[in-house]
Amino acid sequence: MAISEYCNCDVVIAAPNVSVLTAARLMSEYHVGDLVLAEKVERECYRPIGIITDRDIVLGVVAGGDIEPERIQAANLQSRDLVTAKESDDVFDVIAKMRRFGIRRIPIVDDRGLLVGIVAADDLLGVLAETLRDLSQLVAYQSLREEGEFEKDY
């Protein structure tokens, strides 16, 4: 299962030099917990260079006591190098990568490194829960079929 099947293609992006205040307002306006910081490569094509989360803002600005979030660039709050996944990567490989790097969100890129979407741990939990539900129903269906009470052949 390629991760591109499950990524959210509606990504909220911002320039790396946007202020933390603007970043927070964008997150609020679009009801998201992160912004992908990206540079425009060509028309409607962006290369991700970072990610900032609501948690980064809280820990880096609010808890730090900084009273001028409009003067801090979003890129300055990045706590680590950006980790991405390719759109052709397997879902389970992406989950392993997220676990290895301790990240809950990962931008998805194409072969040229251009942004195509983003996946959050919450999204993947939903996919896995549905898959486990389907698998558990398979056990029940087999028992019903053996008893002659289930006519469909899956």
Side-chain angles (χ1 to χ4, degrees):
M1 299 186 300
I3 195 66
S4 62
E5 295 178 42
Y6 305 102
C7 74
N8 180 354
C9 296
D10 241 358
V11 184
V12 182
I13 59 172
N17 62 349
V18 70
S19 74
V20 169
L21 181 62
T22 300
R25 287 181 176 157
L26 284 168
M27 287 182 209
S28 175
E29 179 182 343
Y30 290 98
H31 308 286
V32 295
D34 64 85
L35 290 178
V36 173
L37 304 176
E39 60 186 8
K40 191 172 190 172
V41 175
E42 51 192 57
R43 193 175 139 229
E44 299 301 316
C45 294
Y46 297 88
R47 183 175 326 299
I49 59 172
I51 190 167
I52 183 173
T53 67
D54 47 8
R55 182 175 172 83
D56 293 331
I57 293 172
V58 168
L59 296 178
V61 179
V62 178
D66 196 315
I67 57 171
E68 297 186 71
E70 66 277 358
R71 297 186 66 180
I72 302 169
Q73 290 185 354
N76 292 340
L77 289 184
Q78 287 179 218
S79 57
R80 63 178 81 213
D81 292 334
L82 181 65
V83 178
T84 62
K86 288 191 177 176
E87 61 186 337
S88 59
D89 287 350
D90 181 75
V91 170
F92 294 106
D93 292 337
V94 173
I95 292 169
K97 182 182 268 191
M98 293 170 76
R99 185 179 61 236
R100 184 171 59 249
F101 287 98
I103 55 176
R104 295 178 48 92
R105 299 168 178 96
I106 188 167
I108 308 301
V109 298
D110 64 14
D111 289 333
R112 297 180 3 191
L114 300 178
L115 186 66
V116 296
I118 191 164
V119 168
D122 296 355
D123 301 328
L124 295 174
L125 281 171
V127 169
L128 294 174
E130 287 177 21
T131 302
L132 288 173
R133 185 200 67 223
D134 292 345
L135 188 58
S136 69
Q137 288 177 346
L138 173 65
V139 174
Y141 291 158
Q142 182 172 357
S143 296
L144 289 173
R145 191 164 67 225
E146 288 172 359
E147 295 171 10
E149 296 178 21
F150 188 77
E151 296 181 14
K152 286 188 177 179
D153 187 14
Y154 285 91

